[in-house]
Amino acid sequence: MSTSAPHSGLTAADIGWLQLMIALDDQARHILQLTPERSDDTGLKAWAADVAEHHRTELATLRALLTEGGVPDDNPHEGHDMPGMVNAQELRALEAAQGPDFDRLLRSALLEHLAQTRTLAASIRKADAGPEVKEAALATGTSAADAQRHLKSI
């Protein structure tokens, strides 16, 4: 029996994608949760609340896939400066900003997050990934595209 086999049913691509998406969505939820107290834009507040709720649901699905595959839910991407994530300086700026300044920073960060989410979702659907992960990626990519379109319209 090989000790280098992937966790039960998950490919290395599955695990990598799930862990990356969890890291991206966790951070996005954090900055979305700043919106009610920092934004003056009611449309942006409503959008952020909807997207934060969707991210909660999506995170539960992604974490369940990891758990079912026997993979620990840790964050190997913590502290990384990656596309789709705000870096430490940007996070501090978001946490300190109010009103229109916050709105501008939030829009910028989330448009990047949603674009990266769509890119990652499309790439895993073409990779050697399992059917459950491909299904999750399709849902993730579709919801990111919808959220991106809506954000651009408010």
Side-chain angles (χ1 to χ4, degrees):
M1 182 158 118
S2 171
T3 59
S4 64
H7 289 79
S8 61
L10 294 178
T11 67
D14 292 339
I15 295 167
W17 183 79
L18 289 166
Q19 289 175 330
L20 182 54
M21 284 309 308
I22 289 169
L24 285 168
D25 281 1
D26 270 342
Q27 187 187 61
R29 273 193 58 228
H30 173 72
I31 62 177
L32 286 162
Q33 291 171 341
L34 298 172
T35 307
E37 294 179 9
R38 301 193 176 283
S39 178
D40 297 330
D41 183 326
T42 56
L44 186 60
K45 286 180 182 184
W47 175 87
D50 287 345
V51 173
E53 180 59 34
H54 176 76
H55 274 54
R56 269 189 287 284
T57 302
E58 184 173 278
L59 280 162
T61 299
L62 299 174
R63 287 189 163 113
L65 288 168
L66 273 184
T67 299
E68 290 166 13
V71 180
D73 183 12
D74 55 5
N75 184 356
H77 302 289
E78 189 170 352
H80 295 175
D81 186 4
M82 302 179 323
M85 295 182 82
V86 295
N87 63 35
Q89 180 181 358
E90 293 164 331
L91 183 57
R92 283 191 301 275
L94 272 160
E95 291 173 337
Q98 292 284 337
D101 288 338
F102 173 82
D103 296 348
R104 178 183 49 77
L105 293 170
L106 181 73
R107 286 175 192 273
S108 176
L110 290 174
L111 285 171
E112 182 182 339
H113 164 74
L114 294 167
Q116 182 65 7
T117 296
R118 291 178 69 188
T119 298
L120 292 171
S123 68
I124 195 65
R125 290 193 322 264
K126 296 175 188 169
D128 178 26
E132 295 89 0
V133 171
K134 285 186 178 192
E135 184 178 322
L138 178 61
T140 296
T142 300
S143 66
D146 292 345
Q148 193 176 36
R149 275 192 299 278
H150 190 195
L151 179 57
K152 288 178 179 180
S153 73
I154 54 174

